[in-house]
Amino acid sequence: MATVDIRGVHKAFGPTKVIHGVDISIEDEEFVVLVGPSGCGKSTLLRMIAGLEQISDGEIAIGGKVVNDVAPKDRDIAMVFQNYALYPHMTVYDNMAFSLKLRKAEKALIDQRVRQAADILGLNPYLERYPRQLSGGQRQRVAMGRAIVRDPQVFLFDEPLSNLDAKLRVQMRTEIKALHQRLKTTSIYVTHDQVEAMTMADRIVVMHDGIVEQVGSPLELYDNPANTFVAGFIGSPAMNFFQGTLRRNGGIWVEAEDGTKLPAPGNVGGSDGQKVVYGVRPEHLALAGGSSGVPAKVEVVEPTGADTLVFSKIAGVHTCAVFSERHDFRPGQEIKLQPRLDVVHLFDAASGQHL
Amino acid sequence: MATAALNRTGSIVRKPLVDLLDNRNVLSVICMAPAAILLLTFLTYPLGLGVWLGFTDTKIGRPGFFIGLENYISLFDDSVFWLVVFNTLLYTTVATVLKFGLGLYLALLLNNHLPFKAILRAIILLPWIVPTVLSAIAFWWIYDAQFSILSYMLQKMGLIDQYIDFLGKPNNARASLIAANVWRGIPFVAICLLAGLQTISPSLYEAAALDGATPWQRFRHVTMPMLMPILSIVLTFSVLFTFTDFQLIYAITRGGPVNSTHLMATLAFQRAIPGGQLGEGAAIATAMIPFLVAATLSSYFGLQRRKWQQGESDG
Ligand SMILES: Nc1ncnc2c1ncn2[C@@H]1O[C@H](COP(=O)(O)OP(=O)(O)OP(=O)(O)O)[C@@H](O)[C@H]1O
Ligand SMILES: [Mg+2]
């Protein structure tokens, strides 16, 4: 168990700069998820923590000790790879025992640790099998078992669930979370799936193009996104955005590009005439009656069973709204949608920052 | 069911020939026939003829008669034959060990990130591309008693006083030929093993590094076991090629001095063609078969798919 501190870390592969100064401090026993679109440098950052990539600039400390020049094997971390990286020529048992054997641990201790891990992960029936004889989910568990057996200071996960089917992914997600609650080992988990991030993390680090956009608990990010990138990335379906101009005459509202009047909360900052981005989440649009609300023209209705997704056009922009009750709008029907004012977000159009 | 119904109504009656061609066994015989006939003519016939000649006293220009095991009995008492068997085993063993040691080393080097990697790989392949006879002539010069560039350089460096008689003394000649064979054989081994190394996923090495393995332990516990399947195939081929080597020996020493570098293949040729004793030569060549079969069988069993390579899930 240890803290992990990442201070001013840069990474360049030759001339290409990939990570441009990242600062994150991770507390002991915390489960932190690095999330961001493909190619933003999540894996690179994780591999630098593991010691598999050189750190170009800045420093990384594990348990207070700077590890820039410490070899991977001496960092006392375990990593679960996306492709699992199980040793194909070893049985499940040997895969899990390998690190302890290298450490010359006693046979009895190895056996005890491996069987304990196998118990936790439900791998007991498969100990004598080779990785090839396992299903994807079982291999995933072996990879985790290999990490658990070590009892390391930090667990690193690089998209461990992305090779599993949707149902198994949800199941393993819960299992990993439960495992963390049981072992309490500091964990850093990389994913590009924001649902995984939201459901598993104590804290989420949103990365984009090699920088950290925002760090916070899942609900903090959901409620108070710092900028349009985080607002659009966190939450599913994604937030709706409208370009417009802030107006402070006759109440506070935003004039969309086609002149549509979008109601804004009264406490919002920003000056009259400022170019802004108006953001509202699909679940924060309600059906309005009478004269209130913003006119919307229904395009597609997608019932998912639990919810109904209504795609419509507001102010010339494709907009998604989610209703927990059922509606059977016809395509082309004119409806009116009312944004919940307390959860409408305004961003500066130029910088993308929250107002 | 569908065919039966159709047959009953008589709308489609299959021709017997079509039925015959649909039969898996008939079809497989027909498909195999061309290959089988080719193999029989060009492989089995010469092999059979060779074995048959070994049981006769055929000489060049004179058809022979069946004499049973007489050739083999006389070989059994022939000290030259046993010397040659020893030579062949020595040559094969030492050359193979060296080829694999150096070849594996080169493959490991080339598998790393090196500058000029492409050029280095091309250079490594060179000895293999050069025709054997050409390289044999080059070696002949390198090993020449008076003009050897090797002796010249060693002398300039002050390591030796007088030129080494590479090919004149039995053990020198043996070592020189083994060196030439190793030089020629390394590219094959190195490139095959390199191909094998490149199939090993880098994340296995990373996982092993995180598991606490030193570079040597990574080699020992990841590289070697993963390389074993291809290594045993390459080993089989290499042993077969080396055991039956002819060109290098015949071009450089012709078996001399005093038969110390004769291999079974060169001795068989020597006795059969220049010596005219076709029957005896054939018998020597036939005597190679048990060795080759043993080498092939042992690697065949070594080669059998290891358990971890199999995919089926049982028990
Ligand atoms: N060895 C390398 N040499 C050069 N560029 C690299 C190397 N490894 C990664 N990159 C680049 O660094 C950037 C970040 O890569 P990284 O693998 O960290 O992305 P990621 O966030 O993990 O994406 P994904 O979600 O697709 O796995 C990418 O643009 C990639 O092209
Ligand atoms: Mg990645």
Side-chain angles (χ1 to χ4, degrees), chain A residues 38-44 47 82 158-159 190-192:
Chain A
S38 189
C40 71
K42 309 175 296 282
S43 298
T44 308
R47 291 166 59 81
Q82 179 173 355
D158 191 357
E159 309 207 16
V190 162
T191 176
H192 59 254

Side-chain angles (χ1 to χ4, degrees), chain B:
Chain B
M1 241 164 56
T3 12
L6 286 175
N7 276 344
R8 220 184 318 124
T9 60
S11 59
I12 292 181
V13 181
R14 292 176 145 223
K15 295 190 175 67
L17 182 65
V18 178
D19 268 346
L20 201 63
L21 281 178
D22 262 355
N23 184 318
R24 264 180 157 277
N25 295 327
V26 176
L27 202 65
S28 60
V29 168
I30 293 175
C31 289
M32 277 191 316
I37 291 169
L38 272 176
L39 282 176
L40 277 176
T41 348
F42 293 107
L43 283 175
T44 319
Y45 175 70
L47 185 68
L49 183 64
V51 173
W52 163 248
L53 279 176
F55 291 115
T56 67
D57 60 354
T58 312
K59 292 193 172 52
I60 288 186
R62 183 178 74 88
F65 301 97
F66 181 79
I67 54 168
L69 289 173
E70 225 165 90
N71 281 330
Y72 294 95
I73 292 166
S74 80
L75 279 180
F76 196 82
D77 292 329
D78 182 349
S79 64
V80 173
F81 174 73
W82 289 112
L83 175 69
V84 165
V85 170
F86 167 79
N87 286 343
T88 312
L89 292 176
L90 181 80
Y91 182 79
T92 308
T93 315
V94 177
T96 306
V97 167
L98 287 177
K99 271 189 273 197
F100 272 78
L102 295 172
L104 182 59
Y105 175 74
L106 269 179
L108 288 170
L109 267 187
L110 287 179
N111 198 33
N112 285 324
H113 295 288
L114 284 179
F116 314 116
K117 193 148 97 176
I119 298 180
L120 276 177
R121 285 187 188 176
I123 291 178
I124 296 257
L125 269 179
L126 268 184
W128 206 48
I129 300 169
V130 181
T132 315
V133 173
L134 201 63
S135 49
I137 292 173
F139 271 107
W140 192 41
W141 272 101
I142 289 173
Y143 293 147
D144 188 274
Q146 286 170 46
F147 305 109
S148 164
I149 182 158
L150 217 59
S151 291
Y152 174 80
M153 288 199 315
L154 289 173
Q155 199 179 39
K156 283 282 166 212
M157 285 193 287
L159 292 174
I160 53 172
D161 301 330
Q162 65 188 101
Y163 274 30
I164 300 172
D165 191 2
F166 284 109
L167 300 179
K169 295 192 183 136
N171 280 338
N172 281 2
R174 283 177 180 148
S176 305
L177 282 179
I178 287 174
N181 179 279
V182 168
W183 180 82
R184 260 197 72 73
I186 277 185
F188 174 70
V189 175
I191 295 297
C192 289
L193 294 186
L194 180 62
L197 284 176
Q198 290 183 334
T199 62
I200 304 176
S201 158
S203 58
L204 286 184
Y205 292 112
E206 294 177 346
L210 288 173
D211 270 346
T214 59
W216 164 250
Q217 287 170 324
R218 266 174 266 165
F219 176 75
R220 164 85 186 67
H221 296 290
V222 179
T223 313
M224 276 321 273
M226 302 283 295
L227 205 55
M228 257 354 249
I230 193 151
L231 197 111
S232 45
I233 297 181
V234 182
L235 187 68
T236 317
F237 277 98
S238 178
V239 166
L240 294 187
F241 290 150
T242 317
F243 195 90
T244 55
D245 199 2
F246 174 84
Q247 292 187 63
L248 265 184
I249 313 293
Y250 210 73
I252 299 180
T253 65
R254 291 192 187 246
V258 281
N259 296 326
S260 60
T261 59
H262 251 314
L263 302 187
M264 291 174 88
T266 52
L267 187 71
F269 178 79
Q270 179 92 20
R271 297 249 167 116
I273 310 297
Q277 307 284 348
L278 276 181
E280 198 184 336
I284 296 173
T286 308
M288 293 168 76
I289 293 176
F291 292 100
L292 294 177
V293 169
T296 318
L297 278 185
S298 66
S299 51
Y300 173 81
F301 286 112
L303 262 179
Q304 280 192 326
R305 282 162 69 79
R306 282 159 187 74
K307 215 169 154 210
W308 59 268
Q309 290 176 283
Q310 287 163 351
E312 68 267 25
S313 43
D314 49 347

Side-chain angles (χ1 to χ4, degrees), chain A residues 119-242:
Chain A
D119 265 342
I120 295 176
L121 295 164
L123 283 172
N124 270 323
Y126 312 111
L127 285 178
E128 294 314 315
R129 288 209 198 169
Y130 289 93
R132 259 184 206 213
Q133 302 165 322
L134 298 176
S135 73
Q138 290 161 347
R139 281 180 215 182
Q140 214 283 330
R141 284 202 187 97
V142 178
M144 301 224 307
R146 201 166 61 174
I148 294 175
V149 163
R150 298 254 320 269
D151 189 21
Q153 303 245 25
V154 182
F155 281 137
L156 305 177
F157 299 88
D158 191 357
E159 309 207 16
L161 305 185
S162 55
N163 288 348
L164 303 181
D165 67 47
K167 200 169 164 194
L168 200 54
R169 205 177 308 162
V170 174
Q171 182 192 338
M172 288 306 296
R173 196 161 86 190
T174 324
E175 279 187 30
I176 294 179
K177 178 101 198 191
L179 196 67
H180 176 255
Q181 276 158 7
R182 173 170 178 169
L183 300 174
K184 302 235 188 303
T185 310
T186 312
S187 303
I188 306 175
Y189 186 105
V190 162
T191 176
H192 59 254
D193 178 353
Q194 61 90 24
V195 180
E196 248 171 57
M198 293 293 282
T199 49
M200 300 176 78
D202 293 329
R203 268 196 311 157
I204 298 180
V205 176
V206 182
M207 289 185 66
H208 181 214
D209 281 347
I211 59 161
V212 172
E213 293 279 0
Q214 193 175 358
V215 182
S217 73
L219 292 183
E220 258 166 59
L221 298 192
Y222 179 85
D223 291 338
N224 305 308
N227 51 43
T228 45
F229 179 79
V230 178
F233 196 80
I234 299 291
S236 170
M239 187 183 275
N240 301 301
F241 292 113
F242 305 90

